[in-house]
């Protein structure tokens, strides 16, 4: 019997959207079959099982996030202002009902509660890759150690946004905490009123 033909990247992209929306546990295999359009045999032959597809989806999400971050900061004149604008835009967007929290944050919370250390490490690797992009950019303005520390601070602040946004924290409180936690960003040099994910020169991951 001939093997079913399908575009692997399209399947992984569809699965990523599903897992991003529903999480690993809440996405049933029927959900996976519907989202990807694959029959059970084709899915198991290609990915082994649900965990295998999930792992590939997390890696796909991480790769896309790294590329988006690199592309959005490439050629930007003042990268610190671009980062501040991006973070401010994310803070505003995180309070919107339709905002989709970062898949990596959601995955870490879920996988650690499950005790799935292997998949959690896959997610950690994606977070580290994104952090490395910021570290490289920040090294243009700070020494190596400071760039490393500030990249970690930035990722901690960004990932925290996705949690505090769900708590219906006020926009004023979110922004005040960002300014306090990331005082090295040029907050007073950016146009806070126009900072949105649609217009930010550095897009959200």
């Amino acid at each position: 019997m001939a093997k079913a033909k399908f575009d692997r990247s399209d399947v992984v992209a569809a699965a990523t959207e599903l897992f991003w929306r529903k999480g690993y546990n809440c996405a049933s295999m029927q959900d996976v079959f519907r989202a990807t359009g694959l029959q059970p045999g084709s899915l198991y032959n290609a990915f082994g099982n649900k965990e295998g597809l999930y792992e590939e989806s997390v890696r796909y999400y991480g790769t896309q996030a790294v590329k988006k971050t690199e592309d959005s900061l490439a050629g930007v004149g003042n990268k610190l202002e671009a980062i501040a604008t991006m973070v401010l835009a994310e803070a505003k967007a995180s309070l919107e009902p339709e905002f989709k929290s970062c898949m990596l944050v959601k995955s870490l919370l879920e996988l650690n509660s499950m005790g799935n250390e292997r998949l959690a490490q896959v997610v950690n690797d994606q977070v580290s890759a994104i952090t490395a992009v910021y570290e490289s950019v920040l090294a243009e303005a700070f020494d190596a150690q400071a760039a490393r520390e500030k990249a970690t601070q930035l990722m901690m602040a960004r990932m925290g946004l996705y949690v505090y946004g769900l708590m219906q924290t006020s926009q004023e409180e979110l922004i005040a905490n960002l300014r306090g936690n990331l005082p090295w960003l040029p907050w007073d040099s950016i146009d806070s009123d126009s900072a949105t994910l649609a217009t930010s020169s550095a897009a959200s991951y």
Side-chain angles (χ1 to χ4, degrees):
M1 181 180 294
K3 291 184 178 180
K5 294 182 179 180
F6 59 88
D7 188 311
R8 190 181 187 93
S9 61
D10 287 345
V11 168
V12 173
T16 301
E17 185 67 26
L18 171 67
F19 290 131
W20 189 358
R21 186 176 70 254
K22 300 194 71 170
Y24 179 74
N25 275 330
C26 289
S28 69
M29 288 309 299
Q30 289 303 316
D31 290 332
V32 172
F33 298 143
R34 282 193 294 269
T36 61
L38 292 184
Q39 295 298 315
S42 296
L43 189 143
Y44 292 125
N45 284 334
F47 301 98
N49 52 28
K50 177 183 174 182
E51 184 169 312
L53 177 59
Y54 185 81
E55 177 178 347
E56 194 157 333
S57 296
V58 168
R59 294 186 186 281
Y60 170 83
Y61 182 94
T63 299
Q64 294 299 308
V66 166
K67 184 178 186 304
K68 181 181 291 187
T69 304
E70 290 175 336
D71 290 348
S72 61
L73 292 173
V76 174
N78 190 318
K79 290 183 171 60
L80 293 183
E81 287 185 0
I83 291 172
T85 300
M86 173 194 65
V87 175
L88 182 58
E90 288 178 336
K92 293 179 179 181
S94 70
L95 300 173
E96 298 297 326
E98 67 276 10
F99 184 71
K100 290 168 63 178
S101 179
C102 170
M103 182 180 178
L104 300 179
V105 174
K106 294 172 70 174
S107 296
L108 281 174
L109 293 173
E110 181 179 19
L111 295 172
N112 282 313
S113 69
M114 291 167 53
N116 193 323
E117 296 180 2
R118 193 189 71 80
L119 280 182
Q121 185 57 54
V122 173
V123 179
N124 285 336
D125 291 343
Q126 312 314 306
V127 174
S128 295
I130 299 168
T131 306
V133 174
Y134 286 115
E135 182 179 339
S136 176
V137 170
L138 292 170
E140 298 176 17
F142 305 98
D143 64 52
Q145 181 176 344
R148 187 175 306 110
E149 292 172 350
K150 286 173 169 53
T152 300
Q153 292 168 8
L154 177 60
M155 287 298 289
M156 290 177 67
R158 294 185 65 198
M159 295 176 80
L161 283 176
Y162 299 110
V163 177
Y164 279 91
L166 295 174
M167 296 171 61
Q168 298 184 331
T169 306
S170 71
Q171 178 174 300
E172 292 75 17
E173 185 177 356
L174 275 182
I175 293 173
N177 276 282
L178 284 174
R179 292 175 69 109
N181 291 327
L182 303 171
W184 43 271
L185 284 176
W187 299 106
D188 294 332
S189 300
I190 64 174
D191 183 355
S192 60
D193 292 331
S194 64
T196 65
L197 286 184
T199 59
S200 173
S201 59
S204 171
Y205 68 86

